[in-house]
Each structure stands twice: as C-alpha cells, then as structure tokens.
Amino acid sequence: MQKAFGKKSVIFVFLFPALLIYTALVIVSIIWAGYYSFFDWSGVGDKIFVGLSNYIELFTKDDVFRASVGHTVIYTIINVAIQVFGGLLFAILLSRITKGRVVLQTLYYIPVVISSVAICQIFTKLFSVTPTGIVNQVLSFFSSSFKTMEWISNPSISLYVAAFVEAYKYLGLYMVIFYAALIGVPNELSEAAKIDGATVAQEYLHVRIPYIKPVIIANCLLVLNGSLRSFEFSYLLTHGGPGNSSELMTTYMYKQAFTSMKYGYGSAVAIMIVIICLVVGMLFRKMTGEGKEE
C-alpha cells in the first residue's frame, strides 16, 4: 500500500478530479473575468473593447474602490485578531477544563454550522433600535443614551459590526483546530517544563504555543484569504453602507457588475481582488518563513 501511494501516477489519479473541478470553477472563471475586464459591457449586448481603461479609472478616479481596499484591510485585521487569537485563547481555556468540555465545545461550534443569513438576521435583531434589541436594552442600564444607539446603520462603526459578526461565526472553527493541535503536544515536553519550574502560563508561552506555530500560521493564512474575499456579512448586514462606510472590495465588485450593470468594470475589480489576495498570501508566507525547506 505504501509503495502504491508513493508512486507519482497514483498520486496524480487521486489529485486529478479535484484539480479538474478547481480549474473549471476557479481558474476558468478568473480567465474569463480577466477577458471581460478589457471591455465596456453591461452583461448583455455588444462588448466594446476599452483596453486598460477600466484599470486606469480604478486606480486614478475611483475613490470608492480605494476606500473599499482600506475597509477590507481593517476588516481583515479584526477577523484575524478575533478568529485566530481569540480561537487560540478559547482552545487554551478548553484544554484546561476537565468537566463540561464537550458541552462547551458544542456551544462554541454551533455558530459555525448556522447559515450566514441566519447569523446576520440574529444580530440584526440583537442590535435593533426599533424595537429595542437586547444589546441596547442591556447597555441602557449603564447609560440611557444606549437605548437609541445605532449599530448597523452607524457609519462610524458599521464596518466593525460586520467584521465582528463574521469573526463570531468562525471563531469556533479555529478554536477546534487549535484545541486539536494543543492536545497533540507530547506530554514529555510539558513534563520537562514543569520539572524546570515553569508555571502554566510559561508552559503555554514557551512550549505548547511554539510547538503549534505551523498551525497558527496556517490558520492566519486561511483567515487572511477568507476575510479579503468576504462578501455575505457586509452585504447582508449593511449592504456596504451607510453610504460606503462598510463597503468591501467584494461588495463593490458585486454592485458594479450586477447593480450598475458595469460587467467589464466589475470584472476589473474582481481581478484586483485576486491579485491582492495572491500578493498578501505570498508576502505572509515569506514573512513567516512558510514554504522554505527545513
């Protein structure tokens, strides 16, 4: 069996179906989007070739796109902070609990299996002003001004609310991954640290967390790519508003292509999203030393 799976031909047979599907659904779509980005096209009728005009307008005249890039960066940072580091913190707490661990794991993981639409509807009700949602009702005990506090329709914080909701949904997923990694740390390392007089905090900081560094880096990369391409939470909660205060690159692409019927211009935005994701991913791998042969 080991000899069979060690052959390149056998490996290729198993990889080919996934590669075929990925090529058909992703690579071909990117190529077509790149082709359409050189045209002025509404999605129907004749296409007018405009060359690089869509890209020139994108970089020189489109203030909304530049703002959406900045919003996406902020959105990504919030998601990395909550999903990765929050998930790691919850995993550490779970690894220290002996009773009720399964119940807590289940409770933390429930948001992951709930649809994004349902999650957004739940938080829309929680942050509601008319009628007053639970969040405002609780906060009003501390200050009456919170009774009419706008969350989703407040241009100052709507972006942060959308980022928090997405982070809340996927926090449990990364918690489970980190928990599996933490319990996989060899007991010999922990016992050696205790013999050397290390406290619980020092054991995690200097033994367990460094041991699972590859898992932390992999999760950071997953959240980075997922957040840069995030669409549904911003669109479902705020529709990129009020105004363009929570506009992300993906929501802007959708509006240009399917609302404004600028299919060629929307395709140019889509290509920029792909390029930004690739550049950020490669820079992150380079900074963390991933991909280098040890």
Side-chain angles (χ1 to χ4, degrees):
M1 182 68 72
Q2 289 179 348
K3 289 182 179 179
F5 280 101
K7 294 180 179 178
K8 292 182 179 180
S9 58
V10 176
I11 295 173
F12 178 78
V13 168
F14 280 94
L15 291 179
F16 182 73
L19 180 62
L20 186 64
I21 294 172
Y22 183 82
T23 301
L25 297 180
V26 179
I27 303 299
V28 173
S29 299
I30 293 172
I31 293 172
W32 274 111
Y35 169 74
Y36 290 137
S37 69
F38 296 111
F39 291 87
D40 180 7
W41 187 42
S42 64
V44 293
D46 295 331
K47 299 187 288 291
I48 302 172
F49 182 77
V50 294
L52 296 174
S53 295
N54 286 329
Y55 293 98
I56 293 171
E57 182 180 348
L58 202 64
F59 287 108
T60 60
K61 300 178 182 179
D62 198 335
D63 295 332
V64 178
F65 174 72
R66 288 195 291 270
S68 71
V69 174
H71 295 160
T72 304
V73 171
I74 296 171
Y75 192 92
T76 301
I77 292 171
I78 295 172
N79 272 280
V80 171
I82 297 178
Q83 292 184 45
V84 177
F85 298 104
L88 179 59
L89 177 61
F90 276 98
I92 292 172
L93 293 175
L94 275 180
S95 67
R96 303 298 302 173
I97 295 174
T98 55
K99 293 183 179 180
R101 181 186 298 163
V102 176
V103 176
L104 287 175
Q105 277 182 294
T106 304
L107 290 174
Y108 290 148
Y109 197 79
I110 285 176
V112 180
V113 298
I114 299 177
S115 72
S116 300
V117 176
I119 291 286
C120 289
Q121 285 295 316
I122 291 170
F123 275 91
T124 299
K125 300 299 182 183
L126 290 175
F127 290 125
S128 174
V129 176
T130 51
T132 306
I134 294 175
V135 173
N136 283 4
Q137 285 182 350
V138 172
L139 291 177
S140 64
F141 289 113
F142 303 96
S143 174
S144 59
S145 62
F146 284 112
K147 191 86 172 180
T148 57
M149 175 70 177
E150 294 282 355
W151 297 90
I152 295 174
S153 59
N154 188 334
S156 300
I157 60 175
S158 59
L159 176 66
Y160 305 102
V161 171
F164 171 78
V165 174
E166 177 169 353
Y168 166 80
K169 174 174 170 59
Y170 293 110
L171 174 66
L173 173 64
Y174 295 100
M175 177 210 68
V176 170
I177 296 173
F178 282 129
Y179 176 72
L182 285 171
I183 63 176
V185 177
N187 291 329
E188 294 82 359
L189 297 177
S190 298
E191 291 171 1
K194 291 176 182 177
I195 292 172
D196 289 338
T199 62
V200 173
Q202 290 173 332
E203 178 189 342
Y204 277 93
L205 285 174
H206 301 292
V207 178
R208 290 183 178 269
I209 292 178
Y211 189 86
I212 65 168
K213 180 183 174 182
V215 178
I216 296 174
I217 293 173
N219 283 344
C220 283
L221 191 58
L222 288 173
V223 178
L224 272 173
N225 274 297
S227 300
L228 289 171
R229 296 180 289 104
S230 180
F231 169 79
E232 65 268 29
F233 292 95
S234 176
Y235 189 79
L236 291 171
L237 284 169
T238 67
H239 290 276
N244 300 115
S245 59
S246 61
E247 197 79 81
L248 302 179
M249 292 188 293
T250 49
T251 58
Y252 186 60
M253 173 199 69
Y254 178 85
K255 290 178 181 178
Q256 289 297 312
F258 301 107
T259 303
S260 300
M261 298 303 291
K262 295 181 178 179
Y263 202 88
Y265 195 75
S267 297
V269 177
I271 293 301
M272 290 311 304
I273 294 173
V274 173
I275 292 172
I276 290 172
C277 287
L278 288 173
V279 170
V280 170
M282 288 188 293
L283 287 175
F284 181 79
R285 288 175 64 86
K286 186 175 181 180
M287 287 189 297
T288 55
E290 284 290 285
K292 294 181 180 179
E293 293 183 4
E294 298 181 357

